[in-house]
Amino acid sequence: MLPPRIVRRLVLAPLLVVVLLAVVVNLPLLVIAAAAASPWLPGRWRALRLLWFGLVWLALESVTLSACLALWVASGSGDRLRSEPYQERHYAIMRWFLSTLFRVAKRVFRLTVEVEEPALTSEEAAARLTRPVITPGRATPSCSSTTC
């Protein structure tokens, strides 16, 4: 269960930045400890890789929350957040966050993702023609009647 919104905004978000600063300050000690622990863990330099991924995650999360706060302030303290331009900006920030985090995870953990999908039945194929389908690719800007 999530804590109330006010606690998340006023306590947990700033706490994330404090944790990031504490990790960065103690990074030399953490690297030494992770390097010392790596021989006893399965995998190659597992503790160091986990430390690196955790540090990247904390940094990306802090930057993302700061960018979202800046968007909130720019939108007039949330007055225009539901408008399409601000929602597109939020989606762009989240797209950057997730793609960067996934790229780091692929490199650090040698991660590969394979999607196996069963063959479509005729009913599923017909249903896809009548409902929205999520497809990979970039979103195209909507055009008005004057620009199309």
Side-chain angles (χ1 to χ4, degrees):
M1 183 169 186
L2 289 173
R5 180 181 291 179
I6 191 78
V7 172
R8 292 192 313 257
R9 302 291 193 269
L10 295 178
V11 176
L12 296 180
L15 183 62
L16 183 71
V17 176
V18 171
V19 169
L20 174 65
L21 291 174
V23 168
V24 169
V25 167
N26 293 313
L27 192 58
L29 295 173
L30 292 171
V31 168
I32 291 169
S38 286
W40 288 285
L41 295 174
R44 195 166 181 205
W45 298 106
R46 177 173 286 185
L48 281 172
R49 289 185 286 133
L50 286 172
L51 176 65
W52 173 246
F53 186 73
L55 181 64
V56 169
W57 184 303
L58 279 171
L60 285 174
E61 187 88 20
S62 297
V63 168
T64 302
L65 284 175
S66 299
C68 287
L69 174 64
L71 277 179
W72 181 79
V73 170
S75 73
S77 298
D79 289 341
R80 295 182 303 266
L81 270 183
R82 301 264 186 245
S83 67
E84 188 173 332
Y86 282 97
Q87 285 191 350
E88 281 298 317
R89 290 178 186 127
H90 270 91
Y91 282 126
I93 290 170
M94 294 311 298
R95 188 170 31 253
W96 169 81
F97 169 74
L98 292 172
S99 66
T100 305
L101 195 64
F102 183 69
R103 195 170 44 249
V104 170
K106 279 175 47 176
R107 179 177 291 158
V108 170
F109 302 122
R110 295 183 189 105
L111 181 69
T112 58
V113 176
E114 295 179 17
V115 178
E116 293 183 15
E117 192 173 335
L120 286 177
T121 64
S122 59
E123 292 130 8
E124 290 172 337
R128 284 191 180 184
L129 298 175
T130 61
R131 63 184 167 144
V133 178
I134 297 174
T135 59
R138 295 189 57 145
T140 57
S142 60
C143 57
S144 63
S145 61
T146 59
T147 60
C148 289

